[in-house]
Amino acid sequence: MTLTELQMKDIILMENGKRVGNVSDLEINEQNGHIAAIVVTLRGKTMGLFGKEEELVVPWHQIITIGTDVILIKSPEAVSAAEEEGK
């Protein structure tokens, strides 16, 4: 799969089905060469401070599945709650 193919997919929150945005970039772990996170340009946030679009960094472990048209992710709140329960 290429970055261009990822960028065409909608990012959807698993908990409520809301569309978050689209992949704009990837963060790569320099030590092992694996994808560490996807960077998502937030939907509806056209220009933030200094004309820069707002972005959300989604760690790879928050991705549930990558489908044909969408990428399903856990919301940051759900990940935090699950980590708290596991302590």
Side-chain angles (χ1 to χ4, degrees), residues 24 40-42 45-55:
S24 61
V40 179
T41 302
L42 297 178
K45 306 284 187 184
T46 53
M47 290 297 192
L49 189 60
F50 303 115
K52 186 173 182 181
E53 292 181 328
E54 288 192 47
E55 297 177 333

Side-chain angles (χ1 to χ4, degrees), residues 2 11-12 14 17 20 34 37 40 44 62 77 79 83 85-86:
T2 65
I11 309 298
I12 307 293
M14 181 184 78
V20 178
H34 294 171
V40 179
Q62 282 184 235
E77 296 82 19
V79 172
E83 288 172 352
E85 287 178 10

Side-chain angles (χ1 to χ4, degrees), residues 8-60:
M8 293 175 17
K9 299 178 187 293
D10 290 327
I11 309 298
I12 307 293
L13 289 175
M14 181 184 78
E15 292 78 16
N16 58 16
K18 281 190 171 183
R19 181 179 178 274
V20 178
N22 294 90
V23 175
S24 61
D25 208 350
L26 299 175
E27 286 188 6
I28 307 293
N29 180 316
E30 293 178 19
Q31 274 67 44
N32 61 23
H34 294 171
I35 299 171
I38 58 174
V39 179
V40 179
T41 302
L42 297 178
R43 179 178 178 224
K45 306 284 187 184
T46 53
M47 290 297 192
L49 189 60
F50 303 115
K52 186 173 182 181
E53 292 181 328
E54 288 192 47
E55 297 177 333
L56 172 67
V57 177
V58 179
W60 192 254

